[in-house]
Amino acid sequence: MQPSLRIRNVAADNAGAWDLYERARARIRAGEDIVMLTVGDHDWTTPEPIIAEMALSARAGNTGYPDLRGTPELRAAIAARIARETGVPTGPDQVQVTTGGQGALFAAAMATLDPGDRALILAPYYATYPDTVRAASGLPTILDTRSEDGFEPRPAALAEAAAGCRMMLVNSPHNPTGAVYGPASMQAIADVATGQDLWVVSDEVYATQVHDGRHLSPRALPGMADRTLVVGSLSKAQAMTGFRIGWLVGLEAVMARVADLGIATTYGVPGFIQDAALWALTEGAALEAETRAVYARRRQVALAALAGARGLRVLPPRAGMYVFLDIRATGLSGRDFALRLLEEEAIAVMPGESFGRAAAGHVRVALTVAEERLDAALRRLAALAGRLADGGAR
Ligand code: PLP
């Protein structure tokens, strides 16, 4: 018996994307000391008050089937946050609580695409986007953006690529590049969406981690509130990756349909997790600021360690928890550079190719180790790039 074509296709074009990560993990399991700068997971556990709130809720008996849409209190807190971030009045009935930002991305794809519909994805992209579109029986259409444009889309190219698409996935602040789209890019996105009648799924999971500039949401632009679905999460903001809690925000009528998906999939997010999230959103501002500050400091350490390096160009991230490096001057692909780095220096980074063709010849460094270790690792990375640029001399 064959499984369905749909499920066979989900990860059709990402073979090898996680290869380097798996290799590094295997070596750690074998006892080696590898500096892991691969995936965007924090190197500390969730703050204690959030864990305490979760335990309190569970011990108080909140262990039964949860509220499928999310508790009214949590949805109200999320609505208030999104209203603040987007400037658009938002009510609890416009919110669906999801299993992380990824659950919201899947729900958004299911809500906006019929089988065979095209979804526009700007590359480089967060690695799950094409899989998510295919899981919803949609077809990914990839538009490459360029390193020299700071990986923001050119309006004419955007309009051309959007022709025939039903939805556009936008991610600002951006993973992997750390770009924060400015008003011109956001306006171009809004013009294309309104002009060509597209849904916009706006992935804003890094909205609380802007180090330079200001986060803008496409939902805030005229004519966009009714056609934008905002994806959010506490994974990055509050070091809650393992809690799997996020949200999707949009038109009330759409969210009522999205709630139906919960019946067919997760049957809701556990109530004690929802209570922990409510605490994080209503009482956790100082913790959120501390998480942002950790990455802001590590970003500075990384930029200092890489300053003046030969063989690589640093794209200073304006947001998030990564630094994106153009290593084309070494003559290697992102994957081959990452392999050499793992072999010679015991440092693991993500090859750019994992984020689409537009990121070939780049690598992404996650800022997920403490400052001193990060500094030492990046100085060794810079030295390798320098040696390679000099023709491989050691
Ligand atoms: N969107 C982007 C751009 C991400 O980088 C990630 C996680 O790395 C997610 C969504 C998914 O986050 P979550 O853990 O909330 O599912």
Side-chain angles (χ1 to χ4, degrees):
M1 287 289 282
Q2 283 279 13
S4 72
L5 195 58
R6 186 198 311 103
I7 207 160
R8 278 187 280 150
N9 273 343
V10 166
D13 72 352
N14 69 5
W18 299 99
D19 170 49
L20 192 125
Y21 169 70
E22 295 302 344
R23 272 181 201 231
R25 296 234 315 173
R27 288 175 62 165
I28 289 172
R29 277 197 299 275
E32 265 186 80
D33 181 20
I34 306 283
V35 188
M36 273 302 248
L37 308 176
T38 49
V39 297
D41 208 350
H42 315 271
D43 51 315
W44 65 90
T45 47
T46 304
E48 179 52 34
I50 298 175
I51 295 176
E53 193 64 25
M54 176 188 69
L56 197 68
S57 169
R59 292 209 174 94
N62 193 5
T63 54
Y65 285 122
D67 194 320
L68 208 57
R69 301 187 71 166
T71 65
E73 296 80 8
L74 179 58
R75 284 188 287 123
I78 293 167
R81 181 184 184 111
I82 295 296
R84 244 186 356 260
E85 281 175 1
T86 67
V88 182
T90 307
D93 290 341
Q94 292 174 275
V95 177
Q96 171 68 41
V97 173
T98 59
T99 46
Q102 184 56 43
L105 284 165
F106 178 67
M110 290 292 280
T112 58
L113 299 172
D114 283 315
D117 280 346
R118 294 203 155 271
L120 181 61
I121 296 174
L122 309 182
Y125 46 75
Y126 174 51
T128 69
Y129 285 0
D131 297 4
T132 305
V133 166
R134 282 190 293 259
S137 296
L139 301 173
T141 293
I142 309 294
L143 170 65
D144 289 346
T145 61
R146 302 171 192 211
S147 196
E148 46 278 23
D149 295 340
F151 292 109
E152 294 198 35
R154 294 186 179 185
L158 191 68
E160 198 181 319
C165 291
R166 185 146 179 215
M167 180 264 266
M168 175 179 4
L169 252 165
V170 173
N171 174 216
S172 176
H174 189 255
N175 174 16
T177 66
V180 178
Y181 290 180
S185 290
M186 282 305 177
Q187 190 57 56
I189 285 163
D191 290 346
V192 167
T194 51
Q196 299 191 32
D197 198 22
L198 262 66
W199 287 103
V200 170
V201 175
S202 181
D203 179 346
E204 305 182 15
V205 304
Y206 294 98
T208 62
Q209 290 179 5
V210 178
H211 309 303
D212 171 21
R214 204 168 72 81
H215 167 62
L216 296 172
S217 172
R219 182 171 186 252
L221 293 178
M224 289 298 288
D226 287 358
R227 60 175 69 248
T228 305
L229 301 179
V230 176
V231 170
S233 162
L234 288 174
S235 285
K236 313 295 174 175
Q238 287 282 17
M240 290 174 71
T241 49
F243 281 65
R244 312 308 304 130
I245 181 117
W247 52 81
L248 187 67
V249 174
L251 267 187
E252 191 176 325
V254 179
M255 288 308 121
R257 296 272 73 85
V258 166
D260 295 342
L261 264 188
I263 300 172
T265 53
T266 60
Y267 224 94
V269 173
F272 46 90
I273 301 279
Q274 295 197 46
D275 282 350
L278 177 63
W279 189 93
L281 284 169
T282 52
E283 311 285 333
L287 295 172
E288 195 168 287
E290 179 46 29
T291 294
R292 174 175 43 244
V294 168
Y295 290 112
R297 285 195 299 272
R298 290 181 182 177
R299 172 183 177 274
Q300 290 300 348
V301 166
L303 294 179
L306 297 167
R310 283 170 303 110
L312 59 81
R313 192 168 65 94
V314 185
L315 305 157
R318 300 179 64 207
M321 50 195 291
Y322 315 99
V323 175
F324 206 52
L325 304 176
D326 178 351
I327 50 87
R328 286 175 290 183
T330 63
L332 296 187
S333 67
R335 183 164 189 279
D336 287 344
F337 182 85
L339 281 172
R340 288 281 293 260
L341 190 64
L342 183 60
E343 291 313 316
E344 296 179 20
E345 303 292 344
I347 298 168
V349 298
M350 285 300 269
E353 290 81 5
S354 310
F355 309 101
R357 189 181 57 194
H362 292 68
V363 295
R364 188 193 74 176
V365 174
L367 303 175
T368 47
V369 297
E371 289 174 36
E372 215 172 298
R373 190 165 159 86
L374 182 67
D375 178 63
L378 292 185
R379 286 179 195 279
R380 277 159 43 214
L381 182 155
L384 174 66
R387 289 199 300 277
L388 290 166
D390 291 344
R394 304 210 51 167

